[in-house]
Amino acid sequence: MSEKLVLAIETSCDDTSVAIVSDSGCVYKMLSAHQDDVHKPFGGVVPEIAGRNHSMAVLNLVDKVICGSDFEWKDISGLVVTSRPGLVGSLIVGLVTIKTLALAKELPFVGVNHIEGHIWAPFIYEPLQEPPKIPQKFLSLAVSGGHTQLVLVSQPNNYVVIGKTVDDAAGEAFDKFAKMMGLGYPGGVLVDKMAMAGDPHKFKFPRPKLKSNDFGFSFSGLKTSALNLLNSLSEQEKKAMQNDLCASFQEAIVDTLVGKLERAISHYGNLPISITGGVSANSRLRERVKEFCSQKKLELFLPDLKFCTDNAGMIGFAGSRLIREGILSSQNLGPSPRSLPNDFIYEDC
Ligand code: KG4
Ligand code: ZN
């Protein structure tokens, strides 16, 4: 076999995911354990519980991924793990597991940045699918529960961040709004569902920083404005108008994200676009970005729905790209709640 395979582990937040991925991005086998039901009563991820659950799930998933695939350990040539940014108690579980496997199986390993993983998610594929042709340079909008950033990506692994959120991430705004509405957790997908039957122009929410002359984002003002509106409504009114409230709130986020993409394209020129991260699963965002790209005749790369939220497939591909460049980690590698200074180049933000 000419392709090289890695085994990858992702445990940066509350999803435990393990995958076997090739260096061209083919995800041969991926298994994930989700903790949504465990964290639901708290309305958000409880870090200590997340770490504890990772420790119970991870080795079992590693075994199942190897046994359930057509491969054996001897076919694996490297190991990859998310080492940053994320919840430290969660990252430690994946990291210590990979380090131990690296020693036991005598394999090299690399720790990757979680956002870098998301950036490569639109380019992973499954057996029997055509591999997407990765552009030399593209503009990536990484929108998740923890991050919102616009990145100019050049092959093989060069990342220039041109804009990021100054406060909340877009997914966090969705989650907090869903909590205020009493919809449950995780919020984004629930707001997306309700918004389908609502009027996006019924309520006027602010579009923070949309008109500012930069590529940055801000979502905390939008959240406060939603809180004020919801406080002015009775429980019956909220219930009766919940679809319209969700659709209007969602439209404000989508307008902001698409507006900043438009600004970036008019500044940096026509580049292929990719949207990634949990929020890239949002049906309205996908629809609006498709419209925008077709108007401007831009190539668009969106992850398959199962690769939008956290998964080891994207981490494996990001890591195998680093291994291909000779970048490896040592047993001294520790977890970090934040990106490291050399992970991204920051331009004007
Ligand atoms: O990438 P991800 O799994 O984790 C982080 O890296 O943060 O993203 C999770 C976020 C959550 O905030 C969740 O509400 C949001 O992605 N999300 C969505 C949708 N599906 C997940 N937001 C809007 N619409 C969706 N359909
Ligand atoms: Zn993520």
Side-chain angles (χ1 to χ4, degrees):
M1 181 187 287
S2 60
E3 61 181 357
K4 291 209 156 71
L5 298 179
V6 294
L7 181 127
I9 298 183
E10 153 68 34
T11 60
S12 68
C13 189
D14 62 338
D15 293 317
T16 323
S17 183
V18 179
I20 295 175
V21 188
S22 79
D23 54 354
S24 69
C26 183
V27 181
Y28 281 103
K29 183 82 190 169
M30 184 170 97
L31 290 174
S32 304
H34 305 286
Q35 304 181 22
D36 291 349
D37 290 343
V38 184
H39 298 284
K40 202 173 266 169
F42 305 97
V45 176
V46 183
E48 195 197 306
I49 298 178
R52 209 185 298 160
N53 281 306
H54 285 309
S55 74
M56 293 189 281
V58 70
L59 278 180
N60 195 16
L61 288 181
V62 170
D63 267 353
K64 281 191 173 152
V65 159
I66 293 280
C67 296
S69 72
D70 296 331
F71 306 109
E72 299 172 37
W73 273 108
K74 67 173 174 42
D75 301 314
I76 305 292
S77 65
L79 302 169
V80 184
V81 65
T82 308
S83 63
R84 61 198 186 275
L87 302 172
V88 168
S90 290
L91 290 165
I92 283 174
V93 178
L95 195 54
V96 170
T97 307
I98 281 289
K99 285 185 186 183
T100 310
L101 288 173
L103 290 174
K105 306 288 178 191
E106 297 181 0
L107 288 170
F109 83 96
V110 65
V112 305
N113 182 300
H114 180 77
I115 307 168
E116 184 174 3
H118 275 302
I119 286 173
W120 295 107
F123 305 101
I124 54 181
Y125 62 99
E126 291 179 289
L128 306 180
Q129 286 179 340
E130 246 333 92
K133 190 165 171 2
I134 307 177
Q136 265 318 106
K137 188 169 180 182
F138 58 96
L139 179 66
S140 176
L141 172 62
V143 260
S144 69
H147 319 279
T148 301
Q149 57 185 47
L150 258 178
V151 191
L152 284 173
V153 183
S154 311
Q155 293 226 47
N157 301 305
N158 184 273
Y159 310 102
V160 179
V161 178
I162 57 167
K164 57 186 171 58
T165 180
V166 293
D167 40 54
D168 291 351
E172 199 177 350
F174 270 113
D175 293 339
K176 287 179 177 166
F177 178 72
K179 195 171 178 182
M180 289 182 230
M181 290 280 293
L183 297 181
Y185 169 86
V189 65
L190 301 168
V191 174
D192 188 353
K193 238 181 229 155
M194 297 214 150
M196 284 176 192
D199 174 2
H201 307 294
K202 175 90 178 182
F203 297 99
K204 288 269 159 293
F205 286 111
R207 271 76 172 146
K209 274 172 110 20
L210 183 57
K211 299 226 155 55
S212 70
N213 208 14
D214 58 18
F215 309 107
F217 304 89
S218 165
F219 293 104
S220 73
L222 169 62
K223 184 187 66 192
T224 309
S225 141
L227 183 63
N228 291 339
L229 172 67
L230 294 180
N231 283 341
S232 73
L233 299 175
S234 68
E235 285 308 313
Q236 288 99 311
E237 283 171 322
K238 265 194 253 176
K239 193 103 196 120
M241 296 188 287
Q242 61 183 6
N243 293 341
D244 294 335
L245 285 162
C246 287
S248 303
F249 185 83
Q250 173 177 274
E251 201 68 8
I253 293 188
V254 171
D255 271 351
T256 311
L257 296 174
V258 177
K260 289 292 172 176
L261 271 178
E262 284 188 57
R263 183 177 294 277
I265 287 298
S266 59
H267 184 85
Y268 289 97
N270 284 355
L271 286 167
I273 285 184
S274 91
I275 317 281
T276 190
V279 180
S280 69
N282 184 267
S283 58
R284 183 68 179 143
L285 178 62
R286 290 172 91 93
E287 179 180 51
R288 289 278 306 278
V289 173
K290 280 180 195 161
E291 275 167 23
F292 169 66
C293 289
S294 106
Q295 264 169 24
K296 296 266 176 196
K297 300 192 170 31
L298 303 174
E299 221 180 339
L300 173 63
F301 296 90
L302 290 171
D304 209 273
L305 283 182
K306 67 165 138 337
F307 297 133
C308 289
T309 45
D310 294 348
N311 67 86
M314 66 186 197
I315 299 300
F317 186 37
S320 60
R321 298 176 64 84
L322 295 175
I323 294 175
R324 203 194 291 158
E325 298 295 306
I327 299 167
L328 294 174
S329 299
S330 76
Q331 285 284 334
N332 296 334
L333 181 71
S336 166
R338 278 173 289 280
S339 292
L340 297 178
N342 291 335
D343 286 346
F344 300 102
I345 298 161
Y346 293 91
E347 195 174 274
D348 303 331
C349 66

